[in-house]
Every structure is written in structure tokens, then in C-alpha cells.
Amino acid sequence: MYNFTFDVSTKIFFGKGQIKNLSGEIIKYSNRILLVYGGGSIKKNGIYNAVVSNLKENNIEFIELSGVEPNPRIESVRKGVELCRVNNLDGVLAIGGGSSIDCAKVIAAGVKYNGDAWDLVKNRKFIKDALPIFSVLTIAATGSEMDVNAVISDISRNEKLGTGAPSTLPKVSILDPEYTYSVPKKHTAAGTADIMSHTFENYFNVNNDAYLQSRMAEAILKTCIHYGPIACQNPENYEARANLMWSSSWAINGLLAKGATQDWSVHPIEHELSAFYDITHGDGLAILTPHWMRYILSEDTVDKFVEYGVNVWNIDKNLDKFTIANKAIDLTQDFFTNSLNIPKNLRELDIDEEYFDQMSVKATKGNGRINGYVTLNPDDIKKILINAL
Ligand code: NZQ
Ligand code: ZN
């Protein structure tokens, strides 16, 4: 296992009714905050009212930034920075999923930066400080509630980039699984695929002695495989929502990654799809993942796929190793398309080859390759994209 520092200090309040703790925590840091949320789901399901009445209990004043897009735009970040400055706000509270939380993070950092917020997205080293960040999570997916990461798009330049620094870790996050009852099937499914993808990105690594991280990853994968379809079919199943929500946080907060991993492979490719076509992140991941798996399967990687197939899918360990590996990949694809009803290929999302050359180069982020579990150069990336059509 490699050396590491694990420092994830977000205070989590998990479970029914935990919103009651929100303002008592915020007031320790801030009393005039920016409320950041998306397209209005929180007004329909009552979460907005619950948050606002709780803020009033501690006389926390707030200004609102609504309409944050799924795949949040840099324009929303800039608006938020401006609102904080003009109104002299000292904290940022996101209510929503990864999009609202990510937007809130870069707003919080942008207020402390003397320049355009896009600089912070392009280069995380520019983030030196941020206003305190809080979140009320409404969808299980990205893990943004308990990590430093933020992913922001500039659609005019077809760019979608990840950033983050220690100061963009939320101070407090409220995780009430009941708040996810109203998440539509499509986003429940995409969220489950995203949690699984974060887990795969960590699980498929070259470090064979991170045994503990691998077993924890398998537990998260099995949880998603078990509860994802249940939550899609029965949105108010508390157990399913709770298990998915907690999986979302632990798949990406460093638990699986620390001591174990290298660069991620499928996420940078998916971010190109979202940057050019504005698709739902989890849909892109679910489509690409089985094709990435098939592409990298070889004598060098087959043992990891056997581990995956036997431990996660309960495939007979006495079968030939490539049979196990191929079965595991088929089951993964079948799960995404038939159990979660996610589109099977890129054409179903109206994506064709037009930008694949550009995407394949951009996905390497100027390094000429993705240094993931298996190194991928632009030719490899293009082939994976073509296979996913
Ligand atoms: O905008 P509203 O009206 O709130 O509707 C949202 C949105 O349409 C809806 N929704 C969320 N909670 C709901 C609900 N609808 C009904 N009831 C609820 N309780 O769901 C839709 C998707 O929301 P969004 O926040 O976009 O989803 P998600 O959490 O999947 O976030 C996706 C973004 O996060 C980035 C993705 O790339 C994408 O931009 N990621 C962030 C990461 C991170 N911060 O660590 C890592 C990920 O890999 C990912 O890249
Ligand atoms: Zn993701």
C-alpha cells in the first residue's frame, strides 16, 4: 500500500429529519449565506421549505442562486461569486446533487480569488482558500457531499473540467435518504452508475496489495447492484435510498483511493461526451464502462477481472479465467441496460463520431495519454468511443 494522508473532515448528519441540525452547524461559520440550487425540484418536494425554516431558527440570512444546470456552467459560478461579493456573504449552502454542490464549491473558492473563476477550474493550484461550504444532498451519485471535487463546464469551449482543493471540502453535509424519494428513475439509475464507476476507477488498479480497499470496493458495488434496481422500482424504499446515499459518499471520498490508485480512465472520456453533448454523466459512464473493460482485458489484467467476477457477480471460480472475465463484463453491461434501463449505446443519445478525434485528444488533458489502470492514448480512446456507438 502506498503512503497517504486521509483527512476528510466533513461532518455528516445522516438519516431522517437531520435537517434540524443544519443551521446550528452553519452558524458556527457563517450568518449570511448564498443558497445554491438547481431547476426547482427542491420546491416541489418540500426540501426548500424545510431548509429555509431551519435557517430562520438561527436567524441566518440568505440570498439565492437558483437554476444551476445539471453539468453546471461557469456562468452560474460567476453569478454566484458576484452575489456573494455584492451582498457580503460569508458562506455557501448547496441544496441538491453534484451540480449544485460543485457550483457552490467553485463559487466559494471564486470569492477568495482575485480573477476569473474559470482559472480555478483550469488549474486547481490557484485555489488557496474558500468560503465555508455546506450541503443538503438530494440525490445519491457524485459524492460531492464529502469530497473536495467540483466539475464545471464551459460549453462555449466544449470544456468540462474537474478541480478542487482542501478548502472546497464541505464543512457539513445533511444526508437524509427521504430527500431522494422524489429523484426520477432516470437519475436514480444514472446516480447508481456513477457510484459504481467511481468504485471501478479505484478498484481496477495496479496495486495488488491494497486488499482492504478492494474488498470495500466490492461491498459498494454489491450494494449498488442490489439496491439500485430496488430504488428505481420503489422510490420510497428507505433501505435502498439509505444504502445508495452512503455508498455515494464512500465511493469517492478517498476511502477506496488512498494507498491504492492511479489516474481514472472512464471519467475523463465521459467528461468529453458531456462537454460536447451535455448528456447525463451517469448515462455516459454506464455506456462506456463495459467497452472500456473489454478493451483493456488482456493477460495482464484478466486476474483482476476474475476477482471482480467471482467476488461481485458470484461467477464460478473454476471456470476458465477469460470466461469469467467476459461473463463479468457482460453482466455489468446487462445490469446497466436491463436492470437500470440506461441507454445501451451512444447512438441512443444522438452521439456520432463527429467529435471523437477532438474528444480523444482532450480526454488526455494535455498529457498525451490517460495514465489509468491501463495506459490509453488518443487512438485507444477513440476505439473505445467507436465501440460504444
Ligand atoms: O435541478 P433540479 O431541479 O434539482 O433537478 C435535478 C437534476 O435535474 C434532479 N434532482 C436532484 N435531486 C432531486 C432531483 N429531482 C427530484 N428530486 C430530488 N430529490 O436530478 C437531476 C440531476 O441532478 P445533478 O445534481 O445534476 O446530479 P448529480 O448529483 O449526478 O451531479 C452531476 C454532476 O456532478 C459531476 C458530474 O459530472 C455532473 O456535472 N460530478 C461531480 C463529482 C464530484 N463533485 O466529486 C464527481 C463525479 O464523477 C461527477 O463528474
Ligand atoms: Zn462520476
Side-chain angles (χ1 to χ4, degrees):
M1 224 185 274
Y2 309 131
N3 292 3
F4 62 87
T5 305
F6 184 75
D7 181 9
V8 185
S9 55
T10 305
K11 189 166 180 180
I12 300 286
F13 289 90
F14 189 98
K16 295 178 191 184
Q18 290 287 20
I19 196 72
K20 65 175 188 282
N21 294 299
L22 179 66
S23 63
E25 291 295 324
I26 293 179
I27 201 74
K28 294 176 188 170
Y29 304 89
S30 321
N31 58 15
R32 281 172 64 75
I33 61 169
L34 183 70
L35 214 61
V36 179
Y37 57 94
S41 68
I42 60 164
K43 295 216 165 153
K44 291 189 200 124
N45 57 25
I47 298 173
Y48 175 86
N49 285 343
V51 170
V52 165
S53 58
N54 182 265
L55 293 178
K56 285 183 179 160
E57 279 177 23
N58 273 294
N59 299 317
I60 295 173
E61 294 176 31
F62 59 87
I63 300 281
E64 299 187 25
L65 173 71
S66 62
V68 173
E69 314 79 4
N71 297 331
R73 311 291 201 264
I74 188 61
E75 290 80 5
S76 294
V77 173
R78 291 187 184 120
K79 260 191 232 167
V81 171
E82 184 64 15
L83 283 170
C84 287
R85 288 195 174 135
V86 169
N87 296 287
N88 206 13
L89 306 180
D90 59 2
V92 187
L93 167 62
I95 316 173
S99 296
S100 295
I101 303 173
D102 289 4
C103 186
K105 287 176 177 176
V106 186
I107 292 170
V111 173
K112 297 280 188 176
Y113 175 68
N114 192 15
D116 180 28
W118 185 247
D119 299 346
L120 308 179
V121 179
K122 289 205 81 145
N123 189 345
R124 60 180 72 219
K125 291 197 178 123
F126 288 151
I127 304 179
K128 302 287 181 213
D129 196 7
L131 294 178
I133 298 155
F134 315 95
S135 85
V136 175
L137 184 66
T138 67
I139 175 171
T142 64
S144 191
E145 66 277 7
M146 203 180 178
D147 74 16
V148 301
N149 302 321
V151 185
I152 302 294
S153 298
D154 182 341
I155 295 287
S156 70
R157 299 183 222 188
N158 296 121
E159 288 203 286
K160 176 172 179 169
L161 302 172
T163 186
S167 58
T168 53
L169 183 72
K171 301 277 185 235
V172 178
S173 288
I174 306 288
L175 274 59
D176 182 339
E178 290 188 325
Y179 283 10
T180 65
Y181 284 176
S182 54
V183 177
K185 265 186 199 167
K186 173 192 159 63
H187 287 293
T188 301
T192 302
D194 192 22
I195 300 168
M196 289 178 71
S197 179
H198 298 157
T199 312
F200 288 138
E201 302 274 21
N202 289 312
Y203 182 71
F204 286 95
N205 68 67
V206 287
N207 188 346
N208 287 332
D209 67 1
Y211 181 92
L212 175 67
Q213 288 90 326
S214 290
R215 303 294 81 75
M216 290 192 287
E218 287 160 1
I220 291 176
L221 292 168
K222 288 172 97 155
T223 302
C224 291
I225 291 164
H226 180 65
Y227 283 115
I230 295 176
C232 287
Q233 279 145 31
N234 183 359
E236 302 201 0
N237 183 309
Y238 184 83
E239 197 179 305
R241 293 298 194 181
N243 278 282
L244 289 173
M245 196 171 226
W246 202 214
S247 296
S248 131
S249 306
W250 287 94
I252 194 176
N253 70 359
L255 175 83
L256 306 181
K258 295 292 180 180
T261 60
Q262 67 291 305
D263 283 356
W264 288 14
S265 302
V266 182
H267 270 68
I269 308 178
E270 193 296 312
H271 284 170
E272 293 306 315
L273 293 173
S274 291
F276 280 80
Y277 293 95
D278 198 15
I279 63 169
T280 298
H281 174 60
D283 287 353
L285 294 170
I287 293 170
L288 290 172
T289 295
H291 294 287
W292 167 72
M293 287 177 164
R294 274 190 202 106
Y295 190 81
I296 63 158
L297 176 60
S298 70
E299 256 325 316
D300 292 338
T301 62
V302 67
D303 290 342
K304 190 73 193 181
F305 281 99
V306 169
E307 208 176 302
Y308 169 56
V310 171
N311 293 345
V312 175
W313 291 106
N314 302 319
I315 299 171
D316 181 355
K317 66 176 189 311
N318 298 314
L319 293 171
D320 160 75
K321 58 186 185 178
F322 276 93
T323 307
I324 297 175
N326 280 307
K327 256 182 190 278
I329 298 170
D330 290 348
L331 285 166
T332 308
Q333 189 167 36
D334 180 69
F335 175 75
F336 288 141
T337 54
N338 295 323
S339 301
L340 294 182
N341 282 311
I342 293 175
K344 188 171 183 182
N345 54 49
L346 296 178
R347 290 210 193 276
E348 286 185 44
L349 301 180
D350 293 327
I351 295 175
D352 61 21
E353 292 177 51
E354 186 177 356
Y355 301 110
F356 282 2
D357 285 318
Q358 279 185 62
M359 288 178 182
S360 305
V361 172
K362 285 178 80 196
T364 67
K365 306 281 183 280
N367 296 322
R369 59 187 182 274
I370 294 174
N371 290 312
Y373 176 47
V374 172
T375 301
L376 302 173
N377 62 37
D379 278 350
D380 299 315
I381 297 168
K382 188 173 173 191
K383 283 179 192 150
I384 293 170
L385 285 165
I386 289 172
N387 292 344
L389 273 172

